[in-house]
Amino acid sequence: MRSRRSCLAVPGSNPRFLEKAQGLPADEVFLDLEDSVAPQAKEQARKNVVDALRTGDWGGKTRAVRVNDLSTMWTYRDVIEVVEGAGDALDCLMLPKVEDAGQVAWLDTLLTQIEKAAGLPVGRIGVEAQIESARGLVNVDAIAAASPRLETLIFGPADFMASINMRTLVVGQQPPGYTEGDAYHYVLMRILMAARTCDLQAIDGPYLQIKDLDGFAKVAHRSAALGFDGKWVLHPTQIEAANEIYSPSQDDYDHAELILDAYEHATTVDLRGAVMLGDEMIDEASRKMALVIAAKGRAAGLTRTKSFQPPA
């Protein structure tokens, strides 16, 4: 899986932002043709995005484009122009406001047709699906299983809050009057369960108060604790916090790697199914948990600071 600790939104209508984003340390940059682009600027934004993909130096980042949603007149031209113009420089297309599996299947079919016509490898371009409404959440299991191209499910909090008539205007914060628990816990867990069932990543949506870094960190820690892989960032100041919060700590990463080494030694050399690592007993369940932390650490670029010493 690609590392998506921080997913930076960049308006496709702003060439200066498109250039600046190339040098920022976000794991993923998605060039937006949807909400951040005014209707009269949509066509030019497509041209800007194609040019940025073709000529930019993205430094190994995951390159995605968010097209307009399927209720608009722009979506099919977004897909055709971007993929025909820069398909070999594109990793994923993001489809917003997904409400049923058929919408993902539509995008998969259109992508396949364009790839065949353009001589691109069929199936290489991935899909990211945004869940932004009550209907989308109810159908999230079918959406998650809709296409082998699908890589991530993304929570879109602002539209979702509007769709269920949540009584707040502050995206991501607890609604006034909700004093017990977390108003978003069910939504986040529902998306996470659907994603993991289909081996997809789960990405938390944006925090709109871009100057409130403490607030951003608080809501990011909430979804990171559940197991989400990353979060949207709307401003460069949020990137560092996202990269840190959605990465394992150095101690946790080292410990995970030691568990994997110790279990490997126990099952292949000592031929035991359980073993002690210091004062901790580890087994197959421990190995599975360690695999998750180790994979996230490796994707984040962490390097080991401790080595395994087989017992005498």
Side-chain angles (χ1 to χ4, degrees):
M1 283 290 187
R2 311 176 200 272
S3 182
R4 288 183 168 95
R5 297 168 302 170
S6 52
C7 302
L8 177 65
V10 185
S13 55
N14 192 316
R16 183 172 66 86
F17 286 2
L18 291 171
E19 182 177 359
K20 181 179 180 180
Q22 297 170 37
L24 296 174
D27 286 345
E28 173 176 298
V29 174
F30 73 88
L31 315 183
D32 192 24
L33 298 174
E34 199 216 9
D35 284 350
S36 67
V37 178
Q40 63 272 22
K42 300 281 190 187
E43 292 189 13
Q44 182 58 49
R46 289 185 198 130
K47 296 180 175 62
N48 295 344
V49 164
V50 168
D51 181 66
L53 288 170
R54 293 225 61 84
T55 64
D57 180 3
W58 296 96
K61 298 177 179 62
T62 295
R63 303 154 297 177
V65 172
R66 180 167 72 162
V67 300
N68 286 277
D69 78 88
L70 276 169
S71 69
T72 73
M73 63 183 179
W74 298 297
T75 318
Y76 80 104
R77 292 302 318 168
D78 290 343
V79 178
I80 292 169
E81 291 188 23
V82 168
V83 178
E84 286 187 344
D88 57 347
L90 176 68
D91 296 309
C92 295
L93 284 181
M94 184 186 301
L95 188 63
K97 300 177 177 61
V98 177
E99 298 204 323
D100 60 62
Q103 294 175 328
V104 176
W106 172 89
L107 180 55
D108 187 334
T109 300
L110 182 55
L111 276 171
T112 298
Q113 292 175 337
I114 300 169
E115 287 167 339
K116 288 180 177 178
L120 297 169
V122 174
R124 187 191 64 79
I125 297 173
V127 170
E128 303 180 358
Q130 277 189 276
I131 307 301
E132 303 186 71
S133 68
R135 186 180 178 200
L137 188 66
V138 168
N139 292 328
V140 70
D141 290 329
I143 291 168
S147 167
R149 293 182 187 266
L150 203 60
E151 297 187 12
T152 69
L153 296 178
I154 304 164
F155 177 41
D159 282 283
F160 185 87
M161 291 159 66
S163 101
I164 64 170
N165 297 337
M166 186 177 280
R167 296 176 62 181
T168 180
L169 292 173
V170 183
V171 175
Q173 292 186 0
Q174 301 300 312
Y178 198 94
T179 58
E180 300 290 336
D182 177 3
Y184 303 96
H185 182 76
Y186 170 76
V187 182
L188 293 172
M189 285 299 292
R190 189 75 182 80
I191 291 171
L192 183 62
M193 292 303 101
R196 294 298 187 251
T197 298
C198 295
D199 295 324
L200 309 179
Q201 290 182 316
I203 305 299
D204 195 8
Y207 187 75
L208 273 61
Q209 311 299 314
I210 60 174
K211 294 185 178 181
D212 180 12
L213 291 181
D214 289 339
F216 174 87
K218 181 178 179 179
V219 298
H221 277 295
R222 175 186 66 192
S223 62
L226 293 177
F228 272 62
D229 299 286
K231 186 171 180 63
W232 272 18
V233 293
L234 301 180
H235 192 272
T237 57
Q238 297 176 331
I239 295 174
E240 182 178 355
N243 287 345
E244 179 181 349
I245 291 167
Y246 291 94
S247 297
S249 69
Q250 184 67 52
D251 284 344
D252 284 347
Y253 172 65
D254 282 335
H255 188 57
E257 294 284 15
L258 288 175
I259 289 173
L260 294 177
D261 287 346
Y263 189 74
E264 173 74 11
H265 183 270
T267 55
T268 61
V269 178
D270 293 341
L271 302 181
R272 289 179 290 158
V275 67
M276 297 298 294
L277 179 63
D279 295 330
E280 176 187 10
M281 177 169 282
I282 59 175
D283 57 14
E284 174 62 14
S286 306
R287 185 190 71 85
K288 291 176 181 177
M289 296 169 64
L291 279 172
V292 173
I293 302 301
K296 288 190 175 186
R298 294 166 191 167
L302 296 180
T303 57
R304 298 180 63 164
T305 62
K306 299 177 182 178
S307 59
F308 173 66
Q309 299 297 326

